[in-house]
């Protein structure tokens, strides 16, 4: 079935679904100019070891390197703009809710682009680059300004080292956010998996919860993933193209 036909079918289901969950990953932000993790050439993990930069042991070994890397990503993401796909997902949320349904956007992304595009109540499973937490006293604050310049940054309250408020490998996801996402996935009628390689748990498991609960499922990703053979529609297109087309087909004129 060609992409346009898939989107037509999906739009029809989307219009009728009262509970919709969308899960996004790094591919969602690729068209905003933010590298993914697992792209063989340009992904973060093509050059850097995830355990050195995204794990507690890497931070313990070299807090200066780790905090500099995340702070540079914070500055990079702040300079990037949401694209048409981000805005379309916000429009889909409004469309579902206007029709009396419930929409939940769950993201593995830490770049805050969904919120900037108008999505509300985004469940940030892996935290946010904008939040930094003291490992001494636990004080957490939002950082929206320029890059720190000195690493590791220090806590203004106790002088301890501050770390980015993101979830690293080997760490637990925020309990409440994960529970909300799992419950919504189990109960939804339609689950959209967008721009994720679908390999990192527990986020990848949300699709399985949705299927077990009887939901129809869709993937939007130019490349195949382990989720592709499982979903009802595997749409092999970039998010920046597929989502605006889907929003227009489902909710144009509403
Ligand atoms: P990955 O880098 O693993 O996967 C990105 C996916 O996006 C790939 O499957 C690409 O094919 C797809 N993609 C690329 N461009 C796209 C586009 N324009 N539209 C749609 N899809 C596109 O990123 P995640 O799945 O988000 O965790 O990775 C999950 C987690 O692993 C991340 O949150 C991060 C990482 O290590 C931590 O740092 C803890």
């Amino acid at each position: 079935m060609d992409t346009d036909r898939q989107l037509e079918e999906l739009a029809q289901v989307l219009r009728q679904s009262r509970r919709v969950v969308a899960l996004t990953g790094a591919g969602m932000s690729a068209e905003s100019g933010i590298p993914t993790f697992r792209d063989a050439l340009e992904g973060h993990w093509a050059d850097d070891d995830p355990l050195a930069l995204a794990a507690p042991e890497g931070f313990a070994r070299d807090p200066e390197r780790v905090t500099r890397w995340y702070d540079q990503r914070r500055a990079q993401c702040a300079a990037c703009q949401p694209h048409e796909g981000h805005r379309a997902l916000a429009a889909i949320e409004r469309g579902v809710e206007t029709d009396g349904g419930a929409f939940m956007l769950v993201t593995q992304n830490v770049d805050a682009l969904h919120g900037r595009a108008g999505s509300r109540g985004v469940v940030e499973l892996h935290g946010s680059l904008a939040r930094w937490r003291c490992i001494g006293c636990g004080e957490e604050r939002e950082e929206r300004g320029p890059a720190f310049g000195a690493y590791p940054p220090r806590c203004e309250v106790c002088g301890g080292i501050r770390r980015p408020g993101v979830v690293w490998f080997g760490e637990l996801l925020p309990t409440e956010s994960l529970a909300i996402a799992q419950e919504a996935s189990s109960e939804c009628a339609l689950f959209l998996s967008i721009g994720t390689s679908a390999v990192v748990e527990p986020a990848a498991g949300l699709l399985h919860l949705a299927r077990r609960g009887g939901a129809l499922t869709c993937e939007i990703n130019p490349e195949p993933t382990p989720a592709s053979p499982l979903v009802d529609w595997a749409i092999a297109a970039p998010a920046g193209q597929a989502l605006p087309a889907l929003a227009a087909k489902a909710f144009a004129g509403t």
Side-chain angles (χ1 to χ4, degrees):
M1 197 188 302
D2 68 22
T3 303
D4 199 53
R5 184 77 202 287
Q6 287 179 308
L7 288 168
E8 285 289 351
E9 281 189 10
L10 181 60
Q12 208 168 352
V13 171
L14 177 58
R15 241 188 338 257
Q16 291 160 357
S17 297
R18 286 290 154 269
R19 287 169 185 259
V20 181
V21 173
L23 169 70
T24 63
M28 181 73 222
S29 298
E31 290 154 276
S32 289
I34 299 174
T36 64
F37 293 95
R38 293 180 178 74
D39 183 88
L41 294 177
E42 291 168 8
H44 291 303
W45 303 154
D47 293 328
D48 288 311
D49 174 8
L51 294 183
L53 290 170
E57 50 268 40
F59 177 67
R61 209 174 305 127
D62 195 344
E64 179 180 336
R65 177 176 179 222
V66 171
T67 50
R68 184 188 301 276
W69 190 72
Y70 278 97
D71 199 36
Q72 283 170 353
R73 280 183 62 205
R74 177 172 73 91
Q76 178 196 27
C77 292
C80 290
Q81 301 305 320
H83 60 71
E84 283 305 312
H86 289 104
R87 281 188 283 278
L89 210 43
I92 289 170
E93 172 181 288
R94 288 192 297 275
V96 171
E97 290 178 353
T98 302
D99 288 352
F103 181 93
M104 180 179 289
L105 176 53
V106 182
T107 189
Q108 299 165 88
N109 297 345
V110 292
D111 56 32
L113 288 183
H114 285 304
R116 286 171 57 199
S119 289
R120 290 162 297 177
V122 183
V123 178
E124 293 180 317
L125 278 188
H126 290 174
S128 164
L129 284 172
R131 284 196 291 277
W132 289 70
R133 184 171 71 248
C134 174
I135 62 169
C137 69
E139 206 254 354
E140 183 169 291
R141 59 176 63 191
E142 293 268 318
E143 292 292 347
R144 302 272 176 208
F148 295 133
Y151 302 95
R154 293 279 169 181
C155 172
E156 288 77 358
V157 177
C158 76
I161 291 176
R162 289 206 282 153
R163 59 160 282 177
V166 302
V167 177
W168 284 330
F169 289 107
E171 294 185 320
L172 293 177
L173 272 64
T175 315
E176 198 183 335
S177 301
L178 180 60
I180 289 170
Q182 288 175 328
E183 189 182 337
S185 300
S186 301
E187 294 176 352
C188 70
L190 177 64
F191 185 95
L192 312 170
S193 177
I194 306 163
T196 175
S197 55
V199 294
V200 174
E201 295 292 350
L206 297 177
L207 172 75
H208 305 291
L209 289 178
R211 291 183 71 232
R212 225 171 289 146
L216 291 169
T217 55
C218 158
E219 176 181 68
I220 296 175
N221 193 321
E223 304 295 334
T225 76
S228 311
L230 306 177
V231 296
D232 297 287
W233 299 275
I235 297 178
Q241 287 175 21
L243 288 169
L246 178 62
K249 286 178 194 294
F251 298 114
T254 60

